[in-house]
Amino acid sequence: MDLHFGDSKPTDEERAAVDALLGPPESSWEGADRSDADLRWARGGREARDRRDLLLPGLHAINDRIGWISEGALGYLCRRLTVPPAEAYGVTTFYAMFSVRPRPATVLHVCTDLACTAAGASALCAGVEEGLGPGVHVERSPCLGLCERAPAALAIRAGDPVRTAVAAPATVRTAVLAATAPDSAAEEPSAATAVPQAGQEGLTLLQRVGVVDPSSLDDYRAHGGYTALRQAFALGPAGVIREVTDSGLVGRGGAAFPTGRKWQATASQPDRPHYLVCNADESEPGTFKDRVLMEGDPYALVEAMTVAAYAIGAHRGFLYLRGEYPRATRRIQHAVDQARARGLLGDDILGQGFAFDIEIRRGAGAYICGEETALFNSIEGYRGEPRSKPPFPVEKGLFGRPTVENNVETLVNVLPILTMGAPAYAAIGTARSTGPKLFCVSGSVTRPGVYELPFGATLGELLQLAGVQDDLRAVLLGGAAGGFVRPDELGIPLTFEGTREAGTTLGSGVVMAFDGTVPLPRLLLRIAEFFRDESCGQCVPCRVGTVRQEEALRRIAERTGAGAADDIALLREVGRAMRDASICGLGQTAWNAVESAIDRLGAYA
């Protein structure tokens, strides 16, 4: 490998940020201030290349300390990891939260996505930009996962340590305060405020949110924590997989693939080692259930990952967590540390001779990394672009090894399966959609938040719980990749099969209600902008199609009726091409919401 480094040098702060992660350099090859004699060969080059997966954490370390990533800092990180600078530059510029151009140490991310747009994000952005001076960079951001408190803003001030503050629901005053004085900004409300059902009897997945202290392992265990792991050890790996299979649990991220089949396929692979990856990079606009679980019941996820790892024979797990979730990151890191200190992670868990540990990896603002193979690439230190399948992750996943990837909600469902038994779990919901489901309700409702209902409840029943407003115009199911339904279709059962038969999708459980005050064409244009920005650009149908979709919607917004007919026909043609030929689900679903708005709502009639 021929590495070409520039002449730019890192500052002392940039060097310290990298060294805090990787340790001090051992040779001039790695950037140590020593004789140039050892530059003739790369000591430990192969070992350094094996650490390429530390590229993303290294970029975070620099960005957290400085606020942006200079050429000198990037070059120093590349020397330490033996990564070609050109490749590292491609990785750095892939993520929205990083900058390779100088910017102030404080960045204020103001959400301009669907729920926040409906709640007045445009006026908030204008007011914030007017109220802040040049010392703060204002970034118009996609969904921050705070939809139940829209509009939302997240301030990040670089330094040692990095400081963050959330303003939600944000006003110009609170957003400016978060950016200028993050330490004095109002404390975030507890996770229970996002759960209107908190404390109610009969809850399964949300039973501990608002009831237990999320920082206390003892409190978690006093409320049934680690009962499922002990049951897993009693059953053995094959018994755990059998219970999960018999329960009928399917993935809660939208694909609805049977979890037991995925676990069994990975466990049976002779290639070793096996890996477990928890996908906590929920970036679908309108989705925030995983954040609430991690903030309100973090030990449940740690226990569930341990159970899954035991079942598939994995000794190393990765939790890939949204970079826009600072509080969830702190809560989960604390839970992992406490579990490790108490013998619930490590070399000999509960004295059973099973070794497993969890590494937390932060994303950096890329919706596409919610796709499992793009997530693997991101962890490995490459651009988060999806891979072609086959081979499937159960055969060749993370680092080319058999891998199980599940999202937070899917994994947390494993705990009640083991504690109540597969038959009792399968009795909840319907025959084809078993168990409880979490729904993220936001928009034009009086009680937005995360709701837990058994599969089979209707859309109308859910919206009644959330306090739907009288002037309901449309409901978006499944987020930006989902579809709109009319107010007269609230009898749709909230199951995978029920929504499919109704010509829409359940997705990850997003339910966004919009009343007559929300301009539908503006929402559709925001959806198109979202997919244009988030396309990784790897395949032509998605890279070009998302741009053409946005262009056509902008033209249509200027005229209606016969004048828009040609552009609507173009939209349909582009949509079909993206759906049929895109590599991954982003391009395949980018047309869904627009199509449903045209056909079901008559958006441009």
Side-chain angles (χ1 to χ4, degrees), residues 118 163 168-169 208 279 320 330 376 418 435 461 483 517 528:
R163 292 173 171 82
R208 283 182 288 265
N279 184 348
Y320 190 93
R330 292 192 298 269
F376 299 156
L418 294 183
E461 291 170 344
T517 65

Side-chain angles (χ1 to χ4, degrees), residues 120-415:
S122 296
L124 175 64
C125 283
V128 165
E129 288 170 344
E130 183 178 345
L132 287 171
V136 177
H137 174 72
V138 178
E139 186 83 25
R140 293 172 184 255
S141 169
C143 186
L144 294 175
L146 295 163
C147 312
E148 84 282 10
R149 290 184 272 146
L154 167 66
I156 302 176
R157 175 174 291 180
D160 185 20
V162 63
R163 292 173 171 82
T164 62
V166 167
T171 63
V172 172
R173 186 188 66 81
T174 58
V176 169
L177 179 63
T180 55
D183 291 334
S184 61
E187 185 178 351
E188 281 193 71
S190 69
T193 60
V195 182
Q197 299 167 304
Q200 294 182 11
E201 293 185 3
L203 297 178
T204 301
L205 306 178
L206 299 176
Q207 61 177 314
R208 283 182 288 265
V209 176
V211 176
V212 304
D213 177 358
S215 66
S216 172
L217 176 57
D218 291 331
D219 202 9
Y220 174 71
R221 298 183 76 165
H223 287 82
Y226 282 95
T227 302
L229 181 58
R230 294 183 183 278
Q231 179 65 15
F233 285 139
L235 291 170
V240 173
I241 294 176
R242 184 169 55 250
E243 285 289 293
V244 172
T245 302
D246 292 346
S247 73
L249 175 66
V250 299
R252 298 300 200 247
F257 190 84
T259 304
R261 281 176 53 191
K262 181 185 287 190
W263 288 16
Q264 180 59 53
T266 304
S268 62
Q269 293 293 323
D271 194 13
R272 301 284 171 169
H274 295 175
Y275 290 107
L276 172 71
V277 174
C278 174
N279 184 348
D281 190 52
E282 56 170 4
S283 304
E284 185 73 44
T287 310
F288 49 94
K289 56 186 173 59
D290 290 352
R291 170 182 64 82
V292 171
L293 286 172
M294 290 186 289
E295 290 179 353
D297 197 11
Y299 289 102
L301 179 57
V302 175
E303 180 184 5
M305 289 185 67
T306 309
V307 170
Y310 175 68
I312 67 170
H315 301 291
R316 190 179 181 193
F318 290 86
L319 173 57
Y320 190 93
L321 206 157
R322 281 198 76 183
E324 297 90 341
Y325 284 176
R327 182 163 71 166
T329 301
R330 292 192 298 269
R331 293 270 172 89
I332 285 291
Q333 186 64 67
H334 176 77
V336 168
D337 293 342
Q338 289 299 303
R340 188 181 297 121
R342 301 276 288 273
L344 298 168
L345 287 175
D347 294 333
D348 185 17
I349 297 174
L350 291 177
Q352 297 292 319
F354 172 65
F356 175 67
D357 213 336
I358 296 171
E359 294 183 39
I360 296 174
R361 295 294 171 90
R362 282 191 293 157
Y367 170 74
I368 189 63
C369 288
E371 197 278 338
E372 57 184 358
T373 59
L375 187 155
F376 299 156
N377 277 340
S378 181
I379 292 176
E380 292 176 19
Y382 298 92
R383 288 169 62 88
E385 297 173 342
R387 305 172 184 172
S388 296
K389 293 180 281 192
F392 294 98
V394 296
E395 301 168 319
K396 291 189 179 298
L398 185 65
F399 304 119
R401 303 295 185 178
T403 304
V404 159
E405 181 266 356
N406 289 127
N407 75 345
V408 174
E409 184 186 356
T410 306
L411 287 167
V412 171
N413 267 275
V414 172
L415 304 183

